[in-house]
Amino acid sequence: MPKLLPFRIHFEDPEVVPLDLVASDAEAARQLAATRRGVPAGAILTVIKQNIDEVGR
């Protein structure tokens, strides 16, 4: 089983709220975020891997 890592996803549209999720890598996080928000993957501005200490802040 792959290790899951925390990511924060920011979208180009400022009205779309950033999304925190866990995924195996940045590409998986990008695809999951696009699916959850119902936007194309190209609408994602940044994918940031968070330190485990930052999660929940």
Side-chain angles (χ1 to χ4, degrees):
M1 179 188 241
K3 182 178 179 181
L4 296 177
L5 303 168
F7 291 92
R8 171 162 281 186
I9 313 299
H10 292 267
F11 299 88
E12 287 186 4
D13 184 347
E15 292 186 18
V16 178
V17 178
L19 179 63
D20 292 328
L21 51 80
V22 292
S24 57
D25 59 38
E27 186 57 34
R30 178 181 296 275
Q31 293 302 322
L32 184 58
T35 300
R36 286 192 181 173
R37 288 291 192 248
V39 299
I44 294 173
L45 184 61
T46 58
V47 177
I48 302 168
K49 182 177 160 286
Q50 295 181 301
N51 292 329
I52 196 69
D53 297 335
E54 294 174 352
V55 176
R57 285 187 189 181

